[in-house]
Amino acid sequence: MKSLGDKLRELRELQDLSLRELAKKIGDVTAAHLSDIEFGRRHPSDDLLVKLASFFHVPLEELRTLDSRPPVEDMKRLVQSNPQFGFAFRKLVDEAAEKRVSPDDILRFVTERLDQEKKKK
């Protein structure tokens, strides 16, 4: 599946724009920041995502569907309802940063756990 960064790079290249040129045309953003977004090292703010959608004449929702950020508000609610979720999320981030756990590991764990729960019922 195409990432948000891949899509933005594709749109930029279709218009034959460098990162610097795009940054100047959009304003309030640097070429380095745009590069980080394209490589998936950073995520655009909501305001920047709106500007990019408008600039490239693509529906905002199309770009949002490619945005891989976790649903932060949902995560905040979970942490507020049970602080152990906060500890678990922090541990997950730390382990992922150390490359001891991958997205596939997480998905496999959750899938196996859900399958176990279904078998119990």
Side-chain angles (χ1 to χ4, degrees), residues 22-36:
L22 177 59
K24 284 180 187 176
K25 289 180 181 282
I26 295 221
D28 295 327
V29 66
T30 65
H33 186 86
L34 291 173
S35 175
D36 284 347

Side-chain angles (χ1 to χ4, degrees), residues 62-96:
E62 179 182 337
L63 296 182
R64 285 190 197 277
T65 62
L66 299 172
D67 191 346
S68 64
R69 280 182 276 198
V72 174
E73 291 306 315
D74 293 341
M75 293 171 76
K76 284 180 183 177
R77 277 192 290 282
L78 278 173
V79 170
Q80 288 170 347
S81 70
N82 184 339
Q84 286 183 316
F85 277 112
F87 175 76
F89 290 143
R90 172 53 43 210
K91 182 73 171 165
L92 180 60
V93 168
D94 291 344
E95 294 298 315

Side-chain angles (χ1 to χ4, degrees), residues 1-113:
M1 182 177 177
K2 189 180 293 191
S3 71
L4 176 61
D6 292 337
K7 179 67 174 180
L8 292 172
R9 183 179 312 107
E10 177 185 286
L11 292 167
R12 179 178 58 78
E13 289 175 349
L14 282 172
Q15 293 195 19
D16 198 28
L17 291 171
S18 70
L19 287 165
R20 285 186 181 150
E21 290 169 326
L22 177 59
K24 284 180 187 176
K25 289 180 181 282
I26 295 221
D28 295 327
V29 66
T30 65
H33 186 86
L34 291 173
S35 175
D36 284 347
I37 292 168
E38 286 187 3
F39 283 105
R41 295 185 293 250
R42 297 179 84 171
H43 296 284
S45 66
D46 286 337
D47 289 343
L48 180 54
L49 199 59
V50 168
K51 285 180 182 180
L52 289 165
S54 175
F55 180 82
F56 289 122
H57 306 289
V58 296
L60 178 60
E61 286 310 308
E62 179 182 337
L63 296 182
R64 285 190 197 277
T65 62
L66 299 172
D67 191 346
S68 64
R69 280 182 276 198
V72 174
E73 291 306 315
D74 293 341
M75 293 171 76
K76 284 180 183 177
R77 277 192 290 282
L78 278 173
V79 170
Q80 288 170 347
S81 70
N82 184 339
Q84 286 183 316
F85 277 112
F87 175 76
F89 290 143
R90 172 53 43 210
K91 182 73 171 165
L92 180 60
V93 168
D94 291 344
E95 294 298 315
E98 293 293 322
K99 304 220 188 286
R100 291 188 288 238
V101 65
S102 72
D104 288 338
D105 294 333
I106 298 164
L107 290 171
R108 190 172 27 258
F109 172 78
V110 171
T111 301
E112 288 172 3
R113 177 84 171 141

